[in-house]
Amino acid sequence: MPYQWPADTDFALWELDVVDRACPACGRMMYICDHRYRRLHTLEGPVQLVCKLNHCPDRDCPGHAKTKSPELEATIAPPSWAIGWDVFCWIGHRRCSRHMSVPHIQSELLDDYAIKLSHDAIAKYIQRYQVMLAARQQDPEALRRQYESVDEIILSIDGLQPEKGHETLYVVRELTQKRVWFAEALISATADEVRRLIAKAREWAESLGKPVGLWLSDKQDAFLTGIAAEFPDVAHRYCDNHFLRDVAKPVLEADSHAKVQMRKKVRGLRKIEQAVLKQHAAETTKSVAEDDPEATMTVVVGPADTPCPEADSASAVVLDYCAAVRGILNSDQGGPLQPPGLRMAKALNDVRASLQRNLDAKKGGSQKSNSAAWPAASTEVWTKSRPNKRRSENTSRTSRRWPRPSNLEWKLAPIARRSSRH
Ligand SMILES: [Zn+2]
């Protein structure tokens, strides 16, 4: 279905000409015979392309019946797409590199670039991006160029389970260039199937004309037999990470126990959030019924004439801190060298230090307000214009990262500065 543009869309007009105007059949100078109008989204805003189409003026020339499009058009967007390459790459990168969900990508596109795309459209573009990416990754010519200066290849194989309960994805990587060679989902992963992958790796290495110096894996039986069969003279070592993980098991058990203790201690996020939301609701009511004195009494810690948006922005910072802490408590990232519990402890300390810096800034900055509690510091405005982008990046539920405490301070800084000027 063609894209529905709102009637008041303000398009930038880009006119494109054919640069090489010699007829490909007879070499004559070609004429403009038609125009093609296209509208598309770019990261710079909506664009209307005016493509001047050329053809050969000689009716008897085969170049007469065919039109030539401006060369630049394909570098802006592929035929009949509603988005340019820049938006396409933006979507693909968010999905493949940052693992953002389709709804998350959709809301960021809308928030940051005012680009409105349906779930289906985004899913379709992601699929095309993956096809292009896979084609590029497996392009033998590109691979040969990359391995020109490599003397010896080091290969690894491992099974990953991107989603629990699904088939295992077997990934063959080359470690000197840190490159995934190929990956295949194997439903049963019999020794024969695994060996087929290892044979494929041998074919790749042979086509590059480079010797394989070493294989690394977790030494599952299927890997042992497959590699021994396909690479009889190549050493096969334990992967450091698996090895370390096994060695570190007792440490990780203690680490996991520490995590449980920390989670027990850091509680009450939901209560804080509910209180903030309730306060926010009360504020909204207040702005509706401005004369009700009791309503104003309840929540405002700062100056009594604080208008609504200020409390609003303060609430947002509190909610961001809650999101940060929740993200920290839910994170399972880490490995034997960076146990998740240690990461958690460090991150929680960062939050505590951040809160303390806010309190210190408040004490030093504002003499007027005698409340030491930091919500008082946040009754001032933090400028709404700029942080939109950061906010959506930081607070989205689907994001794996949590808001950095330092970012939250960055939001609070103007609040504190303003309050010191009172
Ligand atoms: Zn011609």
Side-chain angles (χ1 to χ4, degrees):
M1 213 180 86
Y3 189 84
Q4 301 291 322
W5 293 92
D8 57 348
T9 310
D10 184 18
F11 293 96
L13 208 62
W14 292 3
E15 280 192 31
L16 304 180
D17 287 301
V18 173
V19 180
D20 176 12
R21 298 185 68 179
C23 167
C26 70
R28 254 178 210 250
M29 167 87 162
M30 295 192 290
Y31 293 173
I32 296 172
C33 61
D34 206 350
H35 290 78
R36 180 168 55 237
Y37 298 90
R38 281 184 68 182
R39 293 166 159 189
L40 49 97
H41 287 291
T42 72
L43 294 182
E44 290 158 42
V47 166
Q48 165 139 308
L49 291 185
V50 182
C51 301
K52 297 176 181 168
L53 308 178
N54 284 24
H55 78 168
C56 179
D58 182 354
R59 285 175 183 280
D60 299 325
C61 173
H64 181 74
K66 270 175 89 175
T67 56
K68 183 176 179 187
S69 303
E71 293 88 342
L72 261 181
E73 187 186 358
T75 68
I76 296 169
S80 72
W81 284 19
I83 59 172
W85 285 112
D86 56 348
V87 182
F88 178 69
C89 292
W90 188 96
I91 292 173
H93 179 257
R94 291 302 182 285
R95 178 65 197 146
C96 294
S97 186
R98 298 203 190 161
H99 310 286
M100 277 164 56
S101 65
V102 170
H104 190 183
I105 291 173
Q106 185 187 38
S107 63
E108 288 231 331
L109 270 178
L110 194 59
D111 285 355
D112 294 352
Y113 298 100
I115 295 175
K116 199 173 167 185
L117 291 178
S118 68
H119 280 204
D120 289 354
I122 293 172
K124 189 183 74 189
Y125 288 124
I126 287 173
Q127 201 185 7
R128 288 175 179 170
Y129 185 90
Q130 285 169 334
V131 169
M132 288 186 206
L133 194 65
R136 181 183 171 278
Q137 278 295 93
Q138 306 208 356
D139 175 21
E141 186 48 37
L143 198 72
R144 199 188 52 72
R145 276 200 305 274
Q146 191 181 359
Y147 280 89
E148 245 163 23
S149 59
V150 174
D151 296 329
E152 200 177 65
I153 286 168
I154 299 176
L155 291 168
S156 79
I157 183 167
D158 196 11
L160 312 169
Q161 214 163 20
E163 283 175 77
K164 286 215 168 83
H166 284 232
E167 63 266 44
T168 305
L169 185 69
Y170 283 83
V171 183
V172 172
R173 288 194 309 146
E174 199 288 314
L175 301 181
T176 67
Q177 300 300 299
K178 296 191 174 20
R179 190 186 159 119
V180 172
W181 270 14
F182 50 83
E184 244 181 77
L186 301 182
I187 294 166
S188 55
T190 59
D192 284 348
E193 275 194 294
V194 170
R195 181 169 171 181
R196 187 172 53 73
L197 293 185
I198 293 166
K200 189 171 167 186
R202 182 171 51 73
E203 284 162 21
W204 277 49
E206 281 169 4
S207 75
L208 291 172
K210 304 286 178 182
V212 175
L214 183 66
W215 267 93
L216 294 174
S217 78
D218 63 359
K219 295 210 172 182
Q220 295 176 24
D221 288 348
F223 295 160
L224 277 176
T225 55
I227 291 169
E230 296 293 333
F231 294 85
D233 302 322
V234 176
H236 182 175
R237 251 181 37 193
Y238 264 117
C239 149
D240 286 359
N241 197 41
H242 285 97
F243 186 73
L244 259 176
R245 204 163 60 191
D246 289 348
V247 168
K249 252 184 192 152
V251 176
L252 290 181
E253 269 164 30
D255 184 75
S256 154
H257 178 71
K259 257 168 68 175
V260 172
Q261 298 303 313
M262 282 185 274
R263 286 209 183 104
K264 266 189 197 161
K265 201 170 166 188
V266 183
R267 287 188 159 274
L269 281 179
R270 191 172 297 277
K271 263 189 195 161
I272 298 174
E273 286 168 336
Q274 279 167 350
V276 168
L277 292 173
K278 208 169 151 192
Q279 170 176 330
H280 177 69
E283 282 290 302
T284 316
T285 327
K286 185 196 106 186
S287 74
V288 176
E290 192 66 76
D291 337 76
D292 181 356
E294 277 185 27
T296 34
M297 292 292 288
T298 47
V299 280
V300 183
V301 192
D305 58 347
T306 309
C308 254
E310 306 192 346
D312 203 29
S313 54
S315 315
V317 178
V318 177
L319 293 177
D320 276 356
Y321 267 103
C322 290
V325 174
R326 177 169 290 115
I328 292 166
L329 293 180
N330 287 337
S331 171
D332 265 332
Q333 308 259 310
L337 294 179
Q338 277 186 312
L342 273 187
R343 283 168 49 97
M344 186 187 283
K346 190 180 170 303
L348 287 175
N349 273 333
D350 284 350
V351 172
R352 180 186 287 168
S354 167
L355 288 173
Q356 190 57 49
R357 282 193 294 276
N358 287 331
L359 290 177
D360 294 347
K362 179 64 190 165
K363 276 181 197 157
S366 167
Q367 307 301 324
K368 282 268 169 86
S369 169
N370 51 9
S371 166
W374 77 271
S378 56
T379 46
E380 292 278 337
V381 189
W382 119 65
T383 46
K384 274 239 158 169
S385 51
R386 221 175 115 219
N388 251 346
K389 196 161 164 180
R390 265 165 192 265
R391 241 187 84 74
S392 52
E393 246 174 34
N394 286 337
T395 54
S396 166
R397 260 171 281 156
T398 44
S399 169
R400 279 195 186 184
R401 287 166 178 248
W402 50 81
R404 297 255 155 246
S406 51
N407 282 355
L408 299 176
E409 285 171 53
W410 175 82
K411 287 178 187 175
L412 273 180
I415 299 174
R417 266 203 306 280
R418 276 156 179 263
S419 84
S420 68
R421 270 190 248 124
H422 262 274

